[in-house]
Structure formats: C-alpha cells, structure tokens
Amino acid sequence: MKHIYIARHGQTDWNLVPKVQGITNIPLNEKGISQAHDLAGKIKGLDFKFDRVLCSPLDRAKKTAEIVGEVNGIPVIVEPRLTEQNFGIWEGFDSSIEYISNISIVMTV
C-alpha cells in the first residue's frame, strides 16, 4: 500500500504579518529554515523511507523540500501542478480575519 504524507513549507516573513502569499515568491526566513531542518530530523527518525519529495516550484516550498531531501537522501521533484493558488491583487494584503471582514471593494467597469 502506498501512502502520501503532506507537510507545509517553513515560515516566511509574510506568515508573520500575516499577508496573503499565493504565488508571490517569498523565501523562507531563518525560523522557516530551522523548521525545515526539524522536519527533516523527524523524517529521518521514522521506521520507513520515503521514495521522493514533491514540491511546488516556489522558493519557500522548494527550499523546505531540498532540506528534507538532503538530510534524508531522498530525491526532490519540483512539480509545477503543486504551485500555490494565485490570489491576484489580494497577494501582499493583510490576511487576518479582522482586516478582511472590514474591507470593502469598489469596482468600476
């Protein structure tokens, strides 16, 4: 039987604000790199081996995957179909519930 395990990328500066990231290519911050190493260590301690690590082409996901792969001797495959959702004009905006619930948009045609 095959299994799929999913992990999220490590922290970015935009996670702290918080801002909508989407496809904006924000790199891992120092904590995010540390989190990726922690994840790699946990995976190394498991009773089984992973065949491969698949990741989005965005730097934050790719760096997380590369750290996990390097520590564990697992090949990393960049899979464009895993690219994050494109949020268009919303990327870079505050993603907190308080902000979103108080915003109004006026569109002109």
Side-chain angles (χ1 to χ4, degrees):
M1 177 187 290
K2 300 228 178 207
H3 294 86
I4 296 175
Y5 295 86
I6 299 172
R8 189 167 188 258
H9 60 76
Q11 185 182 79
T12 71
D13 288 341
W14 278 24
N15 292 132
L16 295 172
V17 178
K19 286 186 178 184
V20 176
Q21 293 184 101
I23 62 169
T24 304
N25 204 7
I26 306 301
L28 295 178
N29 59 23
E30 287 184 35
K31 183 174 182 180
I33 292 170
S34 176
Q35 290 170 331
H37 282 285
D38 290 346
L39 175 62
K42 288 177 183 176
I43 290 171
K44 192 171 187 104
L46 296 174
D47 294 356
F48 56 89
K49 293 290 258 173
F50 286 85
D51 296 325
R52 65 190 70 98
V53 177
L54 292 110
C55 67
S56 155
L58 295 182
D59 290 345
R60 59 187 177 267
K62 195 163 61 168
K63 181 68 173 177
T64 301
E66 288 168 350
I67 291 169
V68 168
E70 183 179 315
V71 169
N72 290 282
I74 306 169
V76 174
I77 300 168
V78 176
E79 175 51 68
R81 293 175 292 181
L82 293 175
T83 301
E84 286 76 348
Q85 176 70 40
N86 182 341
F87 292 104
I89 64 168
W90 292 103
E91 292 188 17
F93 276 86
D94 185 326
S95 65
S96 67
I97 296 300
E98 297 83 21
Y99 179 81
I100 292 172
S101 64
N102 290 319
I103 195 168
S104 63
I105 301 172
V106 177
M107 298 180 75
T108 59
V109 180

